[in-house]
Amino acid sequence: MRILSGIQPSGQLHLGNWFGAIRQFVKLQEAGHECFYFIASYHALTSLRNASDLERATMHLACGYLALGIDPARSVFFVQSDVPQVTELCWVLNCVCPVGLMERGTSYKDKVARGLSPNMGLFGYPVLQAADIVIYDANLVPVGADQKQHIEMTRDLAEKLNREVGTEERPVLVVPEPYILEEVAVVPGIDGQKMSKSYDNTIEVFATPKETGKRVMQIVTDSTPLEAPKDPAKCNVFALLKLFATPEETAEIADRYRAGGYGYGHAKKRLAELINDRFADARARYAEYEARPDHVRDVLREGGRRAREVAEATMERVRGACGLMVNR
Ligand code: ADP
Ligand code: TRP
């Protein structure tokens, strides 16, 4: 099974990225699948146009992926823009992509509603994402629930190109499936909305224990007094706690909520401890990678080389099927 996924370098990695995406990336790698994981630098350009910010975010994500367990000896790990073939395939897919399909994009509409400038890159973002996926012949794409529509669009575009330039016996592109785990499909942020860089409601993976504690204290709760019984199902702190605690501890804390006498402050303190424990090793590894940028660059260079080989093979197939004569 060929697995592929990417994350945009547009901010600090947060708990939503870990539970919704990277944790599955690592598990699929450990299960022995052929994995391709990348840093979506071209996608970040749709909303970020400051060279030093993009470079910094790219290095942060590279160190973060490695520290959280992406192993370049087992997975092809690279930066999207080191494989320019993907923009070539994006053009080919643009030529079969109905404008109406992009107009229905909920992520595009959200971004414009939030004030991002509606440029063609943002509008056609899902076409580039489709190219990312099909250029590596991926079968399965692990992502959070917010990306479901993009994977459906990828399937539509791949099927359309296959119909238009492929043959029944020799499809040009592999049609992928999404891989979305329901229990972590949408991790809530400190305000109870979906955790996202764009909502300023994240808890970062690579913060210090002190910063983590401070952020956890900012999680929004209602004003039920300490003594009163509380409903765990309605509490943002509990929603995050249950992602970190064992099933036994989760059940025990739920009982304490219902019994009363257990305050949100207690739950927050425990949550901060659990987060800091969970990421202590990864944070130490992150610091090591951050101190060796040349090593990280070497890892990315080698990943890019391996990715380009696969991408070029797909492009040869696509060029041939479309009649794009190659004269180099
Ligand atoms: P953000 O919304 O912060 O910009 P990205 O769009 O860069 O995050 O997401 C990268 C990956 O992490 C995607 O697979 C996405 O689905 C997943 N992800 C992001 N936020 C969450 C969340 N709150 N819950 C579950 N998965 C998430
Ligand atoms: N759009 C994804 C996100 O915002 C990032 C991404 C780009 C991606 N290309 C991809 C995810 C290909 C999976 C597969 O998180």
Side-chain angles (χ1 to χ4, degrees):
M1 184 83 83
R2 177 77 59 88
I3 313 290
L4 172 132
S5 196
I7 297 182
Q8 289 189 74
S10 49
Q12 297 284 312
L13 281 171
H14 56 73
L15 301 185
N17 299 142
W18 166 246
F19 284 107
I22 301 180
R23 193 173 61 152
Q24 280 70 261
F25 298 1
V26 176
K27 282 196 181 151
L28 290 162
Q29 168 189 277
E30 302 304 310
H33 295 295
E34 224 185 327
C35 300
F36 286 65
Y37 297 125
F38 70 96
I39 298 171
S41 45
Y42 283 138
H43 277 110
L45 212 51
T46 59
S47 52
L48 180 65
R49 276 174 308 277
N50 175 299
S52 57
D53 285 354
L54 182 54
E55 275 179 27
R56 209 174 314 113
T58 303
M59 273 312 268
H60 165 72
L61 196 48
C63 295
Y65 265 119
L66 293 168
L68 289 167
I70 299 304
D71 174 3
R74 282 182 288 171
S75 296
V76 181
F77 175 53
F78 62 101
V79 179
Q80 184 184 33
S81 45
D82 280 332
V83 189
Q85 284 88 343
V86 79
T87 59
E88 185 185 354
L89 182 55
C90 180
W91 179 257
V92 174
L93 293 175
N94 268 324
C95 295
V96 298
C97 180
V99 170
L101 183 68
M102 293 299 103
E103 281 171 345
R104 289 192 292 278
T106 52
S107 166
Y108 172 71
K109 285 189 266 193
D110 277 2
K111 286 175 181 169
V112 174
R114 278 205 320 270
L116 289 188
S117 72
N119 59 58
M120 288 303 289
L122 205 60
F123 186 63
Y125 181 115
V127 184
L128 179 58
Q129 183 161 351
D132 283 329
I133 297 170
V134 297
I135 207 163
Y136 303 107
D137 291 334
N139 306 107
L140 209 60
V141 187
V143 279
D146 58 317
Q147 295 296 313
K148 191 164 182 228
Q149 189 187 35
H150 287 167
I151 313 302
E152 282 161 3
M153 289 169 164
T154 303
R155 292 175 54 86
D156 284 355
L157 294 177
E159 282 166 355
K160 194 141 186 284
L161 192 76
N162 283 346
R163 269 200 310 277
E164 295 201 9
V165 304
T167 58
E168 199 66 43
E169 316 77 66
R170 294 194 61 200
V172 189
L173 301 174
V174 173
V175 181
E177 302 275 346
Y179 178 76
I180 299 171
L181 291 189
E182 282 318 314
E183 65 275 21
V184 287
V186 186
V187 176
I190 62 167
D191 57 358
Q193 286 191 80
K194 174 198 151 189
M195 186 177 289
S196 170
K197 288 175 283 235
S198 332
Y199 305 150
D200 194 20
N201 66 354
T202 62
I203 299 175
E204 292 171 10
V205 172
F206 296 107
T208 63
K210 199 165 158 213
E211 287 160 352
T212 305
K214 243 174 106 181
R215 199 64 175 151
V216 167
M217 287 305 155
Q218 293 168 355
I219 298 176
V220 177
T221 51
D222 62 27
S223 52
T224 317
L226 182 88
E227 321 76 54
K230 300 173 186 67
D231 182 356
K234 292 202 180 116
C235 175
N236 295 328
V237 186
F238 188 81
L240 289 169
L241 253 171
K242 69 179 183 202
L243 295 172
F244 286 94
T246 59
E248 296 74 35
E249 187 178 0
T250 303
E252 192 189 309
I253 296 176
D255 286 344
R256 291 198 186 166
Y257 265 77
R258 291 188 202 100
Y262 184 79
Y264 294 124
H266 296 120
K268 286 179 175 179
K269 188 159 171 285
R270 182 62 188 138
L271 174 60
E273 280 170 8
L274 286 166
I275 297 174
N276 288 329
D277 286 354
R278 171 75 65 95
F279 295 119
D281 291 348
R283 287 170 177 175
R285 282 194 298 270
Y286 180 89
E288 287 167 20
Y289 284 116
E290 207 183 17
R292 297 175 63 204
D294 292 344
H295 169 68
V296 175
R297 298 289 291 269
D298 287 344
V299 166
L300 294 173
R301 192 172 303 114
E302 173 58 15
R305 194 191 58 71
R306 290 166 69 194
R308 275 194 303 278
E309 261 175 36
V310 180
E312 180 56 25
T314 306
M315 277 321 294
E316 281 171 17
R317 215 162 68 216
V318 171
R319 291 182 204 117
C322 295
L324 290 164
M325 192 191 284
V326 178
N327 303 297
R328 0 183 160 124

